[in-house]
Amino acid sequence: MWPQGAIFVALPHLGPVLVWLLAPHRISGWCDGPRKLPWCPPHKVLLLVWTTIYSVMGYASYLVWKDLGGGFGRPLALPLGLYAVQLAISWTVLILLFAAHTPGLALLHLLLLYGLVVSTALIWHPINKLAALLLLPYLAWLTVTASITYRLWRDSLCSEHQPQPMGQKSD
C-alpha cells in the first residue's frame, strides 16, 4: 500500500485543512445559535467523524485505483473522476458552512453530493465491492450533516433570529 495508499488516504484531508486555515475560529461553534441543535455533535466528535470518513473514502479510492491497474489510464477516468468531483463538492460544502456561513447554498451542495456519492458507490461496486460499501458510512454522515444544515438554513430564514439594527425592536 505504501506510498500510493498513503497518498490516497491523505488526499481527502486537503480540503478540510484549507477550510481550517480560512476559518479556524468559526468551526468550533458552527452548531451554536439562538436555538442549539440537540442532535448536533460536539466539535471534537465532528473532527473525529470527518477525519475517519475522509480517511475511509481515501482508502476506498485507493482500492478502486489498485483494482483498475493503477496509473492514470482510461479505465480510471469515470470511477476516480466522479470521486474527484464529489470530493471537490464535499470541500465546497465545508467552505459554504464554515467560511461563508451560507447554509442554504451548503444544503443544495449537500443534496448534489449525496447523489454523487450514491453514483460513485454504484460505479465502484462492480470494480471493488468493499470500496463501494466503505462509502455507506459517508452517506449516513451526509444525512446527519444535511439535517443539521437544513435546520441552520431554516433558522436563518426566521426573522426572530435575524440581527436587528440598533434602536429597532423585533416583533
Side-chain angles (χ1 to χ4, degrees):
M1 181 172 145
W2 188 259
Q4 295 92 347
I7 292 168
F8 276 90
V9 170
L11 179 67
H13 296 282
L14 292 178
V17 167
L18 178 64
V19 171
W20 180 79
L21 291 173
L22 291 173
H25 60 284
R26 297 181 188 173
I27 292 176
S28 63
W30 82 288
C31 250
D32 298 334
R35 292 185 285 181
K36 175 94 169 108
L37 303 177
W39 69 90
C40 185
H43 173 64
K44 290 181 182 183
V45 172
L46 287 172
L47 288 175
L48 178 64
V49 170
W50 275 114
T51 300
T52 303
I53 285 176
Y54 276 131
S55 297
V56 169
M57 284 174 28
Y59 178 68
S61 68
Y62 167 74
L63 293 175
V64 170
W65 176 80
K66 186 181 72 160
D67 284 0
L68 289 176
F72 297 100
R74 186 168 174 85
L76 293 166
L78 181 61
L80 292 186
L82 191 57
Y83 169 70
V85 170
Q86 65 102 2
L87 194 56
I89 298 293
S90 177
W91 295 346
T92 302
V93 168
L94 295 176
I95 291 168
L96 291 171
L97 275 176
F98 299 121
H101 290 285
T102 53
L105 280 175
L107 185 59
L108 289 174
H109 281 78
L110 277 167
L111 295 174
L112 173 63
L113 180 58
Y114 203 89
L116 287 168
V117 175
V118 168
S119 299
T120 302
L122 291 173
I123 288 172
W124 284 8
H125 189 265
I127 300 164
N128 187 302
K129 288 176 182 33
L130 177 59
L133 290 173
L134 288 174
L135 294 179
L136 294 179
Y138 185 34
L139 288 170
W141 186 246
L142 286 177
T143 303
V144 172
T145 305
S147 70
I148 293 168
T149 304
Y150 170 75
R151 176 76 180 268
L152 292 171
W153 171 68
R154 191 190 71 185
D155 287 352
S156 74
L157 297 177
C158 296
S159 61
E160 66 190 38
H161 298 296
Q162 296 294 323
Q164 298 293 321
M166 297 289 270
Q168 289 186 358
K169 293 182 181 179
S170 62
D171 296 327

